[in-house]
Amino acid sequence: MYKKIINMLGNIEANVIQRTSDNAFIPKDEDNTDYQEYLEWLAEGNTPEPADEETE
Amino acid sequence: MTSKINALTGSGGVAIEGDSSGILEFQSNGTTVMTVSSDSQTALNRIINGNMMIDQRNAGSAATVSSDYTVDRWKFQEGGSGGQVVSVQQVTDAPVGFSNSFKLTNTTASSSITADAYNMFWQAVEGLNWSDLEWGTSDAKTVTISFWVKASIAGNYSFAIRSSNNDRSYVAPYTISSASTWEYKTVTIAGPTSGTFNTDNTKAIQVAFTNSMGSDYTSSGNNAWQSESKLGATGTQVALTNTINSTWQVTGVQLEAGAAASNFEYLQYGQQLALCQRYYERIVNTTAQAALADTYANTAGSPVPTINLAFKQTKRAAPTMALVGTFSTSNTTGSQIIFSGENTFSAYFLAAAIGRSFWYPNASSGWSADSEL
C-alpha cells in the first residue's frame, strides 16, 4: 500500500510517495525501481491513501 | 593459450613462450601477475565490491533473507516450494589476499529441489559502466569473469548472465573439486551480438551465482547465449539446499573485458565505498547529531525545521529514502521525507503542539538512500 505525502512548506504534493509497509519514501523518478513497482501497482487499478492534512 | 614472460626464481632467468593468441601473461615464477590483450583496459573490474568488503546494511551481521541486498551491490534471492531458509553474512574467512567473503548457510534444508526453486546471489551492472563492450551488436566484446569460491559440498554449480530485459541468458557450470576449500575459477564469455543491453543508467546485465535451481530455470544449453531467461546449468548440479547447514562462499569476483583473467583489481577502501554509494548510502554517524533541528512551532502539525542534506555521491537515480535506527525527539508526532533527488534530500518532523520542538538522529542512526538497479 502507498500513501500520498504533502509538503507542508508550500502545501503542495511532495515529490515522494510513502510505502506504508516499511514507511519508505519513494521519489517519483521512473528510473527508481521502487517507483516502477508503484506504477505497476497503480496500473492494476489501485489507489494510494490520501495525504494527511495539516492540523491548525 | 597465451604467450608468457616468466621471471624465474631458483636458477633464475626469464622464460619466454610465444603463441598466436595475442594474449601476453607476465608471470613471477609461474604465477600470472598481469595479462595484456587487445581488450586490456586500465580499470578492469565492472563488478563493484567484488571482494565483499563493503557491508553498509548489515556491518557483518548475519541476516535471514528471502530477497534482499546483503553486502553492498549484491542481492540474494531464494524461493520455490522446497521450504529452505537461508542465512547470509559477510565473513572474514577468505582466500589469501582477501579480507572478506560472502557466505550463505542453509539453516533449514529444503525437502526437495522443486521445479520452481531458485537460489541466486547477483549483482546488476549499470549500462553506463557497460556500454563500451558493445553487447547486443556485431562489435560485442568477449569478457572473462574470475572468482574465488568455496562450498561445503563439492560438485557442479552455476554462473549466469542475463540481459537487461531477460531476453538473453548465458549459463556456465563450474565445478568445485574439493569441499570446504577455496578454489579459483574463470569463465570466458563471447559477447552476444543480439539481445537487449541497456547503455544508460539502468540495468545492462545481471551477473548471478546460482545453486539448487529447479527445472523451470534450467538452461537449454550451457556455455552459449540462449534466447531465454535461465539461471541454472543443464546437467547434474549440487542440491545444496537439501542439506542443513550446507554453505557456499564467494569473493574476489572480477568481470573484465578480454579472454583472460587478470589479478583482482584492488581499490582503496574509500574508492570502493564511493562506488557503492552511487547505489546505496547510509547517512549516519557513530555519535548522536544533537541540535540538528530545533525550533518553535507556531501550530500543531506544522513542520519543524526542514533540513536539506547532500549525498556523498550522486545517485544513479533519485533514491528511496528510509529512516535508520532511532531519533531523539521532543514535541513531534512523526517524520517525513518531502524531497528525494540524485544529489540531495529534504526532511522534517511534525510538531505535536505549539511550543519548542526538536529532533535529531541518535548514534548510528539517520537515513538510508537506496538507488539500486
Side-chain angles (χ1 to χ4, degrees), chain A residues 5-9 14-16 18-19 23-27 29 31-34 52 54-56, chain B residues 201-202 300-303 306 316-321 335-340 342 348 350 372-373:
Chain A
I5 297 294
I6 290 292
N7 178 352
M8 293 183 179
L9 295 174
N15 92 323
V16 297
Q18 187 169 24
R19 185 169 56 204
N23 291 323
F25 295 87
I26 299 168
D29 180 339
D31 286 336
N32 179 296
T33 55
D34 293 318
D52 295 331
E54 183 174 4
T55 304
E56 294 295 340
Chain B
N201 65 332
T202 61
S302 63
T306 304
R316 178 192 67 82
T320 297
M321 301 297 304
S335 66
Q336 287 192 339
I337 303 289
I338 51 165
F339 177 81
S340 170
E342 294 85 354
Y348 57 55
L350 299 174
E372 281 290 356
L373 287 159

Side-chain angles (χ1 to χ4, degrees), chain B residues 49-201:
Chain B
N49 199 27
N51 58 0
M52 315 296 163
M53 184 175 276
I54 311 295
D55 187 15
Q56 293 186 83
R57 294 172 179 83
N58 297 309
S61 298
T64 299
V65 301
S66 59
S67 176
D68 210 348
Y69 280 89
T70 62
V71 289
D72 274 59
R73 300 282 8 258
W74 292 96
K75 188 170 186 175
F76 180 78
Q77 287 182 275
E78 61 86 14
S81 48
Q84 71 270 22
V85 178
V86 177
S87 173
V88 298
Q89 187 174 15
Q90 178 204 52
V91 296
T92 55
D93 174 32
V96 173
F98 293 91
S99 301
N100 299 100
S101 68
F102 166 83
K103 182 177 185 178
L104 73 82
T105 303
N106 292 292
T107 56
T108 301
S110 53
S111 54
S112 63
I113 306 300
T114 55
D116 60 349
Y118 61 91
N119 290 267
M120 53 190 294
F121 178 63
W122 61 266
Q123 180 173 140
V125 179
E126 184 178 345
L128 294 173
N129 294 329
W130 195 254
S131 58
D132 62 301
L133 298 177
E134 302 285 357
W135 278 25
T137 78
S138 58
D139 296 319
K141 294 181 180 176
T142 294
V143 299
T144 296
I145 188 160
S146 53
F147 53 96
W148 287 89
V149 66
K150 175 179 174 180
S152 60
I153 302 175
N156 295 331
Y157 294 78
S158 300
F159 166 78
I161 292 181
R162 291 197 294 192
S163 61
S164 304
N165 62 355
N166 298 336
D167 64 351
R168 296 289 187 283
S169 59
Y170 184 107
V171 180
Y174 67 90
T175 302
I176 293 180
S177 303
S178 302
S180 304
T181 304
W182 283 108
E183 297 181 9
Y184 181 67
K185 308 294 177 187
T186 67
V187 178
T188 295
I189 300 170
T193 55
S194 60
T196 303
F197 297 90
N198 295 340
T199 57
D200 57 10
N201 65 332

